Amino acid sequence: QVQLVESGGGLVQAGGSLRLSCAASGSIFRINIMGWYRQPPGKQRELVAIIHNSGSTNYADYVKGRFTISRDNAKNTVYLQMNSLKPEDIGVYYCSAAQRGNLYWGQGTQVTVSS
């Protein structure tokens, strides 16, 4: 129904920045919420940020003030601007989308922060 493709991950020095993108395709109508999750090595997936169709956003406490989620509805794309990156931010970042009660996931993009 919905396909999500993340991009923008990579290796960055501590204190640096990355901008992740997630492009949605397929049956993209009525996607109410899009978000970013991450999975640190050896740990479970955790919520990073979400954005509603209204533009309202929510962030995990550990990224507040450093990360910004946004969306471009014309391009069916959600972004995650990550500033002041820390080694604790290392992990695979996944895009997600909620549509008609269903939750979809992207394949993930690796983020590595060197100390």
Side-chain angles (χ1 to χ4, degrees):
Q1 284 276 63
V2 175
Q3 294 81 48
L4 303 171
V5 179
E6 303 98 332
S7 62
L11 190 154
V12 66
Q13 292 286 116
S17 299
L18 285 173
R19 180 178 170 88
L20 306 184
S21 299
C22 172
S25 61
S27 183
I28 60 175
F29 304 105
R30 284 189 170 273
I31 295 177
N32 299 115
I33 302 173
M34 298 189 71
W36 289 95
Y37 293 72
R38 70 187 185 189
Q39 186 166 11
K43 298 182 179 180
Q44 293 185 337
R45 192 173 301 181
E46 61 189 23
L47 176 68
V48 175
I50 58 174
I51 185 166
H52 303 256
N53 265 357
S54 65
S56 177
T57 59
N58 298 93
Y59 296 92
D61 288 340
Y62 47 83
V63 304
K64 286 181 179 177
R66 299 189 298 123
F67 292 8
T68 302
I69 188 171
S70 62
R71 63 193 298 175
D72 186 336
N73 293 125
K75 297 181 178 180
N76 301 312
T77 301
V78 64
Y79 305 94
L80 184 68
Q81 178 67 46
M82 304 185 294
N83 299 324
S84 302
L85 283 162
K86 307 173 181 179
E88 304 93 274
D89 297 317
I90 291 173
V92 179
Y93 283 67
Y94 296 90
C95 179
S96 67
Q99 181 197 60
R100 296 184 175 92
N102 295 316
L103 187 63
Y104 300 90
W105 297 93
Q107 85 287 351
T109 184
Q110 177 70 44
V111 171
T112 302
V113 183
S114 61
S115 59

